[in-house]
């Protein structure tokens, strides 16, 4: 079985400050890990993924995430937040042997000017 | 990135009617498509997984006779909500994937309101 947890429903940061959105996962095999962003009344947009290789993954809009196998985490980060980053963020995990992904409950990021 | 479209983007219908939602992968061939339902401020609930040319696999609790899924080609999947009722009102999102391990790309979603 696979699962993913986003422990924070809401993250608030000031514009220009670094942001972190947390994600931990559980899989029986090797994980594929993804981050998506959703703006109001829209579908999900792909941000970045970890399949294999470097633990630090860089994605769209200046976001990055670090795969930490020992802590089973894949936190999303950005050095300097923008107001336009305010949205709902989903972490997803898929076991390499699984056909479908499991999504977290989502974290609402609010960046204030 | 890859583009997935959905049509219509929103629909209002009367109770008892059927509604068809189309999901298209515009610039790649999707061997697998997924249909999700999302309630306000909640995560995505996977309804079914469909592979081109075969029957969809429904998640537990999802009525396959209620939510008909057809994945007739590598670029098109349809979800038909049959005999819709107000409780079927929701945001329906599809996603498409080329192969296992590849990224899922999501459509923009379809807002369904059943009166």
């Amino acid at each position: 079985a696979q699962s993913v947890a986003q422990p924070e429903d809401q993250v608030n940061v000031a514009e220009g400050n670094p942001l972190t959105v947390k994600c931990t996962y559980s899989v029986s095999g090797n994980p594929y890990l993804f981050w998506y962003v959703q703006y109001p009344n829209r579908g999900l947009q792909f941000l970045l993924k970890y399949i294999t290789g470097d633990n630090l993954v860089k994605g769209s809009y200046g976001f990055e995430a670090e795969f930490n196998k020992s802590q089973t985490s894949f936190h999303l980060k950005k050095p300097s937040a923008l107001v336009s980053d305010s949205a709902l963020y989903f972490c997803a995990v898929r076991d390499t042997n699984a056909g479908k992904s499991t999504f977290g409950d989502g974290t609402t990021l609010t960046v204030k000017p | 990135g890859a583009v997935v479209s959905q049509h219509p983007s929103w629909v209002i219908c009367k109770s008892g009617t059927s509604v068809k939602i189309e999901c298209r992968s515009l610039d790649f061939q999707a061997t697998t498509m997924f249909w999700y339902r999302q309630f306000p401020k909640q995560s995505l609930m996977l309804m079914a997984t469909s592979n081109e040319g075969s029957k969809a696999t429904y998640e537990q609790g999802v009525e396959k006779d209620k939510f008909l899924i057809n994945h007739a080609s590598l670029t098109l999947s349809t979800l038909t909500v049959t005999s819709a009722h107000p409780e079927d009102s929701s945001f329906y999102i599809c996603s498409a994937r080329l192969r296992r391990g590849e990224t899922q790309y999501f459509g923009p979603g379809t807002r369904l309101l059943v009166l």
Side-chain angles (χ1 to χ4, degrees):
Chain A
Q2 57 191 33
S3 65
V4 62
Q6 292 179 243
E8 302 155 316
D9 290 336
Q10 181 100 24
V11 170
N12 298 310
V13 298
E15 187 175 30
N17 283 0
L19 69 87
T20 299
V21 183
K22 296 180 180 178
C23 172
T24 58
Y25 67 90
S26 174
V27 296
S28 56
N30 292 319
Y32 295 150
L33 293 155
F34 305 85
W35 274 102
Y36 293 88
V37 60
Q38 184 180 32
Y39 295 97
N41 298 309
R42 302 298 302 274
L44 276 66
Q45 295 178 32
F46 169 73
L47 280 179
L48 50 80
K49 66 180 177 182
Y50 171 83
I51 302 297
T52 187
D54 289 342
N55 290 342
L56 184 63
V57 179
K58 294 186 183 296
S60 306
Y61 312 119
F63 284 94
E64 59 187 31
E66 185 167 11
F67 170 62
N68 187 317
K69 188 173 183 178
S70 63
Q71 296 185 5
T72 61
S73 67
F74 190 57
H75 301 330
L76 181 70
K77 299 182 180 184
K78 186 172 182 179
S80 178
L82 299 173
V83 172
S84 57
D85 293 329
S86 299
L88 182 58
Y89 290 80
F90 289 100
C91 179
V93 66
R94 184 164 76 246
D95 187 296
T96 51
N97 296 318
K100 58 190 178 184
S101 297
T102 298
F103 285 79
D105 289 337
T107 298
T108 299
L109 172 67
T110 302
V111 181
K112 297 184 177 179
Chain B
V3 179
V4 176
S5 70
Q6 271 184 251
H7 177 79
S9 56
W10 59 270
V11 58
I12 301 174
C13 69
K14 292 182 179 179
S15 185
T17 60
S18 294
V19 175
K20 179 185 283 188
I21 303 170
E22 291 187 351
C23 177
R24 294 181 185 272
S25 56
L26 298 184
D27 52 0
F28 69 103
Q29 293 185 323
T31 55
T32 305
M33 286 186 168
F34 304 87
W35 285 96
Y36 295 86
R37 186 172 177 177
Q38 186 181 32
F39 293 100
K41 299 185 179 182
Q42 293 189 23
S43 188
L44 286 72
M45 184 191 81
L46 180 64
M47 300 174 66
T49 303
S50 74
N51 292 297
E52 185 266 340
S54 60
K55 289 184 178 180
T57 302
Y58 289 81
E59 295 300 301
Q60 192 172 9
V62 178
E63 301 174 58
K64 59 183 178 182
D65 294 332
K66 171 78 173 174
F67 300 98
L68 301 178
I69 291 173
N70 187 340
H71 191 165
S73 75
L74 286 171
T75 59
L76 173 64
S77 176
T78 61
L79 166 68
T80 301
V81 183
T82 61
S83 187
H85 288 94
E87 58 265 30
D88 298 324
S89 299
S90 191
F91 193 50
Y92 291 88
I93 307 175
C94 75
S95 73
R97 188 181 75 196
L98 175 56
R99 289 180 295 270
R100 277 178 179 259
E102 292 289 334
T103 303
Q104 282 179 246
Y105 292 96
F106 286 81
T110 297
R111 176 78 57 192
L112 171 63
L113 177 61
V114 184
L115 301 178

